[in-house]
Amino acid sequence: MEASVEQLVYVREDEYTVARMSADGEPDFVATGRALAGVQPGETLRLTGEWGRHQRYGRRFAVGGCERVAPSSVRAIRVYLGSGLIRGIGPRLAYAIVDHFGEATLKVIDSEPGRLTEVLNIGPLRQGQIVEAWREQKSIAALMVTLQGLGVSPLLAAKIYQVFGQDADEVLATDPYRLIGRVRGIAFRIADKIALQSGVPERSPQRVKAALLDRLEAAGSREGHCFVPLPALVRETAELIEQDPDLVRPAVDALIADRRLVVETDPAQPGREVAYAKHVHSREVALTAEVTRLMRAPSTLPLRPYREDPGLHDDQRAAVNMALTSTVSILTGGPGSGKSHTVKAIATTVKAGGGTVTLTAPTGKAAKRLSELTGLPAMTVHRMLAHQPDPDPETLFDDESPARADLIVVDEASMLDLHLATRLTAAVPSGSHLLFIGDSDQLPSIGPGDVLADLLRVMTVPRVQLTHVFRQADGSGIVEAAHLIRAGRMPMTPGGGGFWFEELDDPEQVARRVAHLAMVAIPRKQNVEPGQVQVLCPMRKGETGATALGRLIQDQLNPAADDKAEHWSGATVFRVGDRVMPIRNNYDKGVFNGETGTVTAVVREERAVEIRTDDGKSVNYGFDELDDLTHAYAISVHRSQGSEYPFVVAPIVAESGGIMLRRKLLYTLVTRAKAWVVLVGQREALELAVHRLGRRRNTGLARRLELSLES
């Protein structure tokens, strides 16, 4: 039958889709199946399948085959144009266009687009926008058909078109490996599937090189490594493409010749060959040079005689003296150790001496928190570097640039990856003081490198660790639990409150309990809104992962309603009232990773979702930009770095072997809470997290820096 999509009801992670449909001669009905993946409201489909009856939901059509067709009836054309599929056409304009052209509407748009100006309120500019959007939609629909024929998810069609435009078909046909790294959601396995279906030989050098680069990229993006031991890289590549390792070594040589790969002796283990992606190697070498330059430069910090703050502890006074006398230094300490108060004392002293200070942090939330704790203005590292997009020591800064301050303080320095740290240090003028603040027991950066830990391994880099705990006196169970975890001991529920562990074994029960605590129990007991309670998850996938828990909470706190606009982007629905979070900095929009906001509108005519951030900014995200947003109902622990929340609830379950359960992750999780943290789950999983140390990342920075400073 032919039927129009009225509404998407549900899309699962595996692309199983439930849609409400309408068809001539049939009452509205529900269609289900993976064949519906990627369909949008307004589209007309030719469906094959069979009728059935669901025990709970009644009559349904199980779809076996689905083909997109042009709508033919006046009603179907009006629904299609008014659905928001074609940017620039809303329901009112759709009615006017179809009222004017009738059943010939789509033929006119396709073949005689100039006639659109016959319709009231359509001038040449809007006519051009409609035609462009129409062609884009046709191209994406054709790409979907191509991808389905290759056995690949049609949901990737829009993303591929967004990157390659009209060249998308040629890329799929001639070099699908170009998709890797450029189209979100496409790694080697998907590109390789397309390539093999398109006739690329299994032993093709093109295929082997793509697999090699994929293994390097995976080591960086998933595990934070800067390099991979060469024998391991060759072995993993051979396993990925199911070929003999002898086929891989020529590809290594070819990539070295192409300047995309660097093979050298491990700086820390002479005799072992390691492989870097060229851009990662360049950053590591550049960061070594920049830190060396800053450490060797004579200080230009203007200082009057230092007047000691009588409220400082001995180790805090040592930290102040270090920051005022060393051009590069590190201040570390756990929760409650007075890092923020020390930073304020350092900054106040520099300002009193006539110097300038810039306080920064890797995320917007961390910068805001730093400002609140010190009472001084702070900004993101990215904002500070806005004057200098690329690292270039020769670039001249104007005097107003925050990177030209006499003292630059970088809080939450454990979050700095290799790329950001290189840009940061390159921006600091010789003679300025650079102070890194961080907790080395927290999770390292999401990106490659372990910069703070590497700097701490170089003993000639000045550092002070604050060990005196000031917040212990307030009875904080959070601080007590954090220090126990840090020492490799099981956290105990203290009499003073603040930390609680609730034991449950079944992951499904754990998920339901976490959701109930976040939505009902804690808000009721503490007299706060559910938005004050943040769910943090060690994993993204699984029953207790951020994706499933976030959807569970969303469905209960902000369920679908006929009067509530929504838009499905893949298996994610964005609904008016949803709590969301940008996961990438966007300077054009003025939003930063880690901020939170609320969906205020879904504007189908503009194919955009409108967000109001918590600090009052109104921002639009196009439907093709929604990969830059995630729901904030439940987020990963990694995503929470640099933020604090009044109340935190977290599942602790050894799903998938508990591969993410490690001491640094648990410590980071617990220290995100200000008032209460509640862990729900398995005792053995909690013990696993407390006792398991994470693998050290493969980096060469520490050894390079030692050698550079010795020379």
Side-chain angles (χ1 to χ4, degrees), residues 571-593:
T572 303
V573 61
F574 291 91
R575 189 175 290 140
V576 171
D578 275 342
R579 294 286 294 162
V580 293
M581 171 187 294
I583 59 175
R584 291 176 184 84
N585 296 322
N586 188 313
Y587 297 101
D588 294 333
K589 298 183 189 296
V591 295
F592 299 94
N593 178 13

Side-chain angles (χ1 to χ4, degrees), residues 85-382:
L85 276 168
I86 310 300
R87 184 182 281 108
I89 301 180
R92 246 182 226 178
L93 190 57
Y95 193 95
I97 294 171
V98 178
D99 189 53
H100 187 77
F101 295 114
E103 293 182 357
T105 296
L106 298 185
K107 184 178 178 183
V108 168
I109 296 174
D110 200 39
S111 306
E112 304 174 85
R115 291 188 60 196
L116 283 170
T117 55
E118 296 173 16
V119 180
L120 188 65
N121 293 327
I122 297 184
L125 180 61
R126 178 169 277 193
Q127 180 257 347
Q129 291 171 338
I130 290 171
V131 170
E132 179 62 30
W134 167 259
R135 287 175 180 159
E136 178 181 315
Q137 191 58 37
K138 282 184 66 178
S139 297
I140 291 172
L143 268 179
M144 283 183 163
V145 173
T146 301
L147 292 174
Q148 280 180 315
L150 294 168
V152 175
S153 169
L155 295 176
L156 295 169
K159 297 178 184 179
I160 294 172
Y161 186 86
Q162 186 182 354
V163 175
F164 293 101
Q166 298 296 330
D167 297 330
D169 281 320
E170 183 183 350
V171 171
L172 288 176
T174 60
D175 190 4
Y177 298 111
R178 286 176 63 192
L179 302 170
I180 301 172
R182 298 190 62 187
V183 179
R184 288 175 196 158
I186 297 187
F188 177 81
R189 291 190 185 279
I190 292 176
D192 193 45
K193 186 173 186 178
I194 296 171
L196 294 176
Q197 291 271 14
S198 302
V200 173
E202 289 187 354
R203 296 173 63 85
S204 160
Q206 175 192 27
R207 180 176 186 240
V208 182
K209 287 193 288 186
L212 261 167
L213 293 174
D214 174 80
R215 291 299 82 201
L216 270 180
E217 176 63 28
S221 61
R222 294 176 198 164
E223 300 177 60
H225 296 312
C226 291
F227 64 76
V228 178
L230 186 58
L233 177 63
V234 170
R235 182 183 68 252
E236 290 170 13
T237 301
E239 290 172 355
L240 180 63
I241 58 176
E242 298 180 339
Q243 298 294 323
D244 193 284
D246 290 342
L247 188 67
V248 178
R249 187 65 214 213
V252 171
D253 296 335
L255 286 170
I256 293 171
D258 291 343
R259 298 179 61 81
R260 300 178 71 186
L261 187 71
V262 173
V263 174
E264 66 176 23
T265 300
D266 185 345
Q269 293 187 38
R272 182 173 79 152
E273 281 193 310
V274 297
Y276 285 83
K278 172 64 177 174
H279 68 282
V280 174
H281 182 268
S282 298
R283 289 288 193 273
E284 194 172 271
V285 170
L287 180 55
T288 301
E290 298 299 349
V291 174
T292 302
R293 171 181 65 85
L294 292 173
M295 288 187 66
R296 286 178 172 169
S299 171
T300 58
L301 185 69
L303 278 181
R304 296 192 181 119
Y306 169 44
R307 293 175 59 188
E308 289 191 353
D309 181 343
L312 294 180
H313 192 265
D314 288 347
D315 53 6
Q316 289 178 305
R317 282 194 287 272
V320 173
N321 183 65
M322 172 191 70
L324 299 179
T325 56
S326 303
T327 50
V328 176
S329 58
I330 306 170
L331 174 62
T332 67
S337 61
K339 293 193 296 293
S340 299
H341 187 67
T342 307
V343 171
K344 186 174 182 179
I346 294 168
T348 301
T349 303
V350 171
K351 286 186 171 185
T356 55
V357 179
T358 296
L359 302 187
T360 71
T363 68
K365 274 258 182 119
K368 184 177 180 181
R369 183 166 150 254
L370 177 63
S371 181
E372 290 169 349
L373 291 171
T374 61
L376 301 169
M379 66 181 72
T380 65
V381 175
H382 296 86

Side-chain angles (χ1 to χ4, degrees), residues 449-460:
D450 198 354
V451 175
L452 180 63
D454 280 342
L455 291 175
L456 287 168
R457 290 185 187 107
V458 181
M459 299 314 296
T460 49

Side-chain angles (χ1 to χ4, degrees), residues 406-576:
D406 296 302
L407 169 68
I408 296 167
V409 178
V410 186
D411 197 19
E412 298 287 353
S414 63
M415 297 175 66
L416 289 175
D417 67 11
L418 182 66
H419 304 299
L420 186 57
T422 304
R423 289 187 59 204
L424 166 67
T425 51
V428 179
S430 298
S432 291
H433 287 221
L434 179 59
L435 173 63
F436 294 103
I437 313 286
D439 187 341
S440 57
D441 291 302
Q442 285 190 26
L443 285 169
S445 59
I446 293 176
D450 198 354
V451 175
L452 180 63
D454 280 342
L455 291 175
L456 287 168
R457 290 185 187 107
V458 181
M459 299 314 296
T460 49
V461 177
R463 83 283 310 277
V464 167
Q465 181 176 7
L466 303 181
T467 56
H468 181 77
V469 179
F470 292 89
R471 272 166 48 196
Q472 197 74 30
D474 65 8
S476 170
I478 295 170
V479 173
E480 184 179 339
H483 284 278
L484 286 170
I485 293 165
R486 194 180 195 183
R489 296 163 58 193
M490 282 285 283
M492 308 300 291
T493 300
F499 174 85
W500 186 266
F501 173 61
E502 184 172 323
E503 191 169 353
L504 276 177
D505 278 333
D506 180 57
E508 187 179 340
Q509 289 181 343
V510 170
R512 287 201 301 267
R513 179 59 176 161
V514 166
H516 178 76
L517 284 166
M519 293 185 297
V520 180
I522 293 176
R524 183 185 295 158
K525 185 176 179 62
Q526 300 293 333
N527 194 28
V528 296
E529 293 296 317
Q532 296 286 94
V533 185
Q534 182 63 59
V535 174
L536 299 182
C537 302
M539 302 277 289
R540 191 178 65 83
K541 297 181 179 179
E543 283 183 285
T544 59
T547 300
L549 260 172
R551 178 171 279 192
L552 176 63
I553 296 170
Q554 178 194 26
D555 287 346
Q556 296 186 50
L557 283 184
N558 191 33
D562 290 340
D563 62 347
K564 196 181 292 181
E566 64 180 35
H567 173 73
W568 284 87
S569 176
T572 303
V573 61
F574 291 91
R575 189 175 290 140
V576 171

